[in-house]
Amino acid sequence: VRHGHGEDYLGALARLVGRHRQRYGGYLVHLGLVALAIGVIGSQFFQLKAGAQLSRGQSIAVGGYALTFERATDTFANNIETVTAVFRVSSGGHFAREITTGRSLYPAFQNQPTSHISITTDGLRDLYVFLADWNGTSSVTINVFVNPLVPLVWLGGLLMLVGGIACWWPGRRRAAVLIEPRPAHVEVTV
């Protein structure tokens, strides 16, 4: 309607939202909550898991992805042993990317290695690859998780934040106008 009266679309939207910030901010908060709920439900109920022990050149397929074990390295630096494994990821039969996952072992904490988990976001899915075990650099054991709709969790949180800011941002205060009482007009007839 405002565009029909000569306003551009973006300006009309900004003025409309500016006049009713709490209403549209509330809409954004609720939309964000719905997106967050869909993301959490989707990632929990439709998660795909797989695990495998792979030698060089072997692959594992899960959720439309094929992960091929390329190589592993075992390095020592500053008294820390770091094992990394490199995988070639294909999606739909086409090379998508190369990912690296690994673990670091600290001599003072032998039973508590630190994991380096590969997290790749592809559209509305997250691909997690975790190095569970290794046998030198010739074979590795990995766990793979495909979590759909996880990006909706982040989007929902962002929408809730923006909507909350829109709702609670202080508005312009109108200046108080002091109105002085007028003296009553009194007519005197003699």
Side-chain angles (χ1 to χ4, degrees):
V1 170
R2 289 172 168 263
H3 180 71
H5 292 291
E7 292 186 44
D8 63 298
Y9 285 114
L10 192 57
L13 178 66
R15 281 184 279 288
L16 180 67
V17 171
R19 279 200 187 130
H20 306 285
R21 274 184 305 109
Q22 280 116 2
R23 177 192 305 171
Y24 291 105
Y27 289 161
L28 277 179
V29 168
H30 285 89
L31 181 65
L33 183 62
V34 168
L36 188 131
I38 290 171
V40 169
I41 291 167
S43 67
Q44 294 300 310
F45 288 110
F46 301 107
Q47 180 186 62
L48 301 172
K49 303 177 202 177
Q53 182 175 359
L54 304 173
S55 296
R56 285 188 190 161
Q58 288 184 322
S59 298
I60 181 175
V62 58
Y65 295 103
L67 285 85
T68 304
F69 176 46
E70 292 287 311
R71 64 189 176 280
T73 58
D74 192 355
T75 58
F76 292 92
N78 298 327
N79 208 17
I80 300 169
E81 179 183 8
T82 303
V83 178
T84 58
V86 178
F87 294 89
R88 186 176 67 239
V89 179
S90 301
S91 179
H94 303 292
F95 173 76
R97 65 187 46 88
E98 196 172 80
I99 61 169
T100 303
T101 185
R103 292 177 93 171
S104 294
L105 299 139
Y106 299 87
F109 304 98
Q110 285 296 326
N111 294 328
Q112 299 177 11
T114 302
S115 297
H116 307 280
I117 300 170
S118 171
I119 303 173
T120 306
T121 300
D122 182 26
L124 287 178
R125 297 186 299 177
D126 277 0
L127 173 68
Y128 297 85
V129 181
F130 170 74
L131 179 64
D133 198 10
W134 62 95
N135 184 9
T137 58
S138 60
S139 72
V140 294
T141 302
I142 60 168
N143 292 321
V144 181
F145 302 91
V146 178
N147 293 325
L149 305 178
V150 170
L152 288 181
V153 173
W154 296 104
L155 177 65
L158 181 65
L159 286 174
M160 290 173 66
L161 177 68
V162 169
I165 289 171
C167 285
W168 296 310
W169 193 267
R172 282 188 270 165
R173 296 180 187 223
R174 295 184 179 158
V177 177
L178 180 63
I179 301 174
E180 293 184 22
R182 294 172 127 175
H185 182 74
V186 180
E187 279 188 36
V188 180
T189 49
V190 187

